[in-house]
Amino acid sequence: MKHTFKKGGIHPGSFKTASPDIELLPLPMTATVLLSQHIGRPANPTVQKGDKVCRGMVIAENSAYISASVHAPISGTVASIDDVVLPNGKNGRAIIIKAAPEEHEADTAARNSYWSDTIPAVLSRDLSESLTADEIRTRIERAGIVGLGGATFPSHVKIDLKPTQKVDTLIINGCECEPYLRCDDAIMRSCPGYIAEGIELIMKAASISRAVVAVEDNKPQAIEAMRGALDSMHNISVMSLKTKYPQGGEKQLIEAVTDRRVASGALPVSTGVIVQNVATAFAVWQAVATGQPLIERVVTITGDIPAEQRRNYIAAIGTPLSDFPFSLPDEARAIVGGPMMGKTAVCLDAPITKGTSGLTVLSGKGRRPVQPCIRCGACSDVCPMGLDPYLLATYGRLRMFDEAAKADVADCIECGSCSWSCPSSRPILDFIRVAKQRSRK
């Protein structure tokens, strides 16, 4: 029997049609770097308008314990520090950098050399042995690394464990259960050795003796690649999990791998486990081994677009979504992320952030009209948190936020299983999000 979580879950089609290869997306001439692209306080700018910056330089530093530094993804001049439009149409503060042609050319040459020459040459199994835990955590913090699976929690905070927190297992999340997305699959196939080193570094930094790389069984090549890279590491194993959504949710993944459940209102660390994404492990290795901060990441472009446009790209943070080579058919929508948890982009001139895993284009064909609730209970059956989504959505729709809080709306992980399963096509998750957000105030 395959390992998986026990309560709820759905089986949407995977639609993993993007090429598993990774290509370099050209650097932008103008990069828009948001000060808040992580959970916690926005970073504080360390530059001002007119300053010259170099690629990889700190341009904003963490402003609180839960915060993350931001670095220049391109060399150039700070054109402004201003509010910009985000993909969802809201505004966010950002540092806007413009490159001159000669700066762009020099950056491009150095970047091509880094990926073609430096990366293949740097692989040392004793890297974690040569550094102390404090040194590794410091490098991770300086690099501005956050969780790249979507939550964007600052990584140096997650592995800075208190003496009272007894953690025995590190889970590396390679499930990538969102339909369409393939960035994690691609990086596991292409860079398994570097991910393995990143795992060792995280284990050393957090003083954890055991790690499990969890991958859904619809990614056999990624499983094989990771097992090959970990053959000599007896304290790191690969676990094949049943393909089931939302397997990649932190609480669901902990249950699937360890059979431990995170209590309502508790943090995952309370079970003796911390979770990091495979791309985060790779970013940790990059920062420690090569000194490159988190200035670019793998992004999947996929969906209802021609096959040749479905690709995985290494893209600089701050690159406009419109710079990616894809077409947007009439009546189609572009979703930042996957179709289950992603949000529709209303502005394609907006930049990608550290948390941008992909862009999914979906046509409007086959969308059903919203109908009245028929009280079937399907949304409750599939909820992986054991909630009653129809009730929480009603509270959100009627602005009954105190009642929503009492019904544990804060436990909702916003996976979208309820909306997906609803035969009446009701926007259940949308109303729950309203209730969840307003009940915090």
Side-chain angles (χ1 to χ4, degrees):
M1 182 177 177
K2 287 283 186 181
H3 294 272
T4 189
F5 58 97
K6 297 178 177 63
K7 187 177 292 184
I10 58 176
H11 299 274
S14 65
F15 306 108
K16 307 255 185 206
T17 55
S19 167
D21 299 328
I22 301 176
E23 305 171 28
L24 284 177
L25 185 75
L27 293 172
M29 293 294 292
T30 299
T32 302
V33 188
L34 292 170
L35 296 175
S36 182
Q37 43 185 315
H38 50 264
I39 286 178
R41 292 281 298 275
N44 281 335
T46 56
V47 295
Q48 55 188 349
K49 182 178 178 179
D51 284 354
K52 285 283 189 179
V53 298
C54 298
R55 177 172 154 87
M57 168 181 160
V58 175
I59 56 175
E61 57 189 14
N62 47 339
S63 59
Y65 178 62
I66 302 180
S67 185
S69 298
V70 175
H71 302 74
I74 62 172
S75 300
T77 303
V78 176
S80 64
I81 302 176
D82 209 345
D83 286 341
V84 299
V85 179
L86 307 180
N88 60 9
K90 296 181 180 179
N91 289 336
R93 200 79 173 161
I95 298 173
I96 301 168
I97 305 170
K98 293 184 179 292
E102 59 273 15
E103 291 169 322
H104 183 265
E105 185 177 346
D107 275 352
T108 299
R111 182 184 187 227
N112 290 341
S113 175
Y114 174 83
W115 284 104
S116 63
D117 299 332
T118 304
I119 289 287
V122 181
L123 191 59
S124 172
R125 283 282 185 253
D126 62 357
L127 186 59
S128 63
E129 298 299 323
S130 63
L131 297 168
T132 67
D134 285 342
E135 288 172 331
I136 297 170
R137 285 195 299 270
T138 297
R139 294 193 190 189
I140 292 172
E141 180 177 5
R142 288 176 178 170
I145 296 173
V146 302
L148 298 181
T152 64
F153 193 88
S155 298
H156 68 279
V157 177
K158 184 177 277 193
I159 61 177
D160 184 20
L161 301 174
K162 298 177 176 62
T164 55
Q165 295 174 321
K166 307 300 181 184
V167 175
D168 56 37
T169 303
L170 167 67
I171 297 177
I172 301 298
N173 187 352
C175 288
E176 197 168 43
C177 58
E178 265 274 16
Y180 290 97
L181 298 186
R182 206 170 185 181
C183 51
D184 290 347
D185 181 23
I187 203 167
M188 284 188 285
R189 290 190 190 201
S190 301
C191 308
Y194 308 118
I195 293 171
E197 279 206 2
I199 296 170
E200 287 193 316
L201 289 165
I202 296 171
M203 292 172 69
K204 176 71 173 285
S207 299
I208 300 174
S209 59
R210 170 182 179 245
V212 179
V213 183
V215 188
E216 286 192 326
D217 58 10
N218 63 348
K219 305 173 187 64
Q221 293 86 358
I223 292 172
E224 183 180 355
M226 289 307 306
R227 282 181 173 156
L230 296 168
D231 275 349
S232 61
M233 301 181 205
H234 65 277
N235 56 341
I236 307 175
S237 61
V238 178
M239 181 179 288
S240 175
L241 303 181
K242 180 180 179 180
T243 299
K244 183 181 175 183
Y245 180 85
Q247 191 91 256
E250 205 168 32
K251 295 179 180 181
Q252 285 66 41
L253 186 58
I254 289 172
E255 181 185 359
V257 174
T258 67
D259 205 29
R260 306 171 191 173
R261 283 191 65 85
V262 182
S264 176
L267 295 173
V269 72
S270 65
T271 64
V273 178
I274 62 173
V275 180
Q276 296 280 8
N277 181 264
V278 289
T280 307
F282 178 73
V284 166
W285 173 81
Q286 275 188 292
V288 176
T290 75
Q292 176 163 300
L294 184 52
I295 54 176
E296 52 192 355
R297 63 157 298 153
V298 180
V299 178
T300 300
I301 305 298
T302 185
D304 298 331
I305 54 177
E308 63 273 11
Q309 295 180 6
R310 301 176 202 144
R311 294 283 184 268
N312 288 291
Y313 295 98
I314 295 173
I317 306 301
T319 300
L321 292 169
S322 56
D323 276 16
F324 289 89
F326 72 96
S327 54
L328 189 62
D330 292 340
E331 298 185 4
R333 57 193 175 117
I335 299 170
V336 180
M340 298 302 296
M341 298 186 74
K343 295 180 174 64
T344 299
V346 298
C347 176
L348 290 179
D349 290 330
I352 69 164
T353 65
K354 295 177 182 181
T356 305
S357 55
L359 190 71
T360 307
V361 177
L362 295 181
S363 69
K365 298 177 181 178
R367 297 181 68 180
R368 301 170 297 180
V370 175
Q371 300 290 333
C373 175
I374 61 173
R375 306 296 192 270
C376 65
C379 58
S380 297
D381 291 340
V382 302
C383 179
M385 296 304 297
L387 303 173
D388 289 321
Y390 70 91
L391 180 61
L392 297 175
T394 299
Y395 286 149
R397 181 171 57 85
L398 299 179
R399 305 177 67 84
M400 299 170 66
F401 305 128
D402 290 341
E403 289 79 0
K406 292 175 183 176
D408 298 324
V409 69
D411 285 346
C412 173
I413 62 173
E414 302 182 31
C415 66
S417 296
C418 52
S419 294
W420 183 88
S421 65
C422 180
S424 296
S425 305
R426 297 188 64 78
I428 299 173
L429 179 56
D430 294 333
F431 285 122
I432 292 177
R433 279 176 171 152
V434 172
K436 185 177 177 181
Q437 184 179 48
R438 294 298 297 273
S439 65
R440 294 187 185 128
K441 297 180 180 179

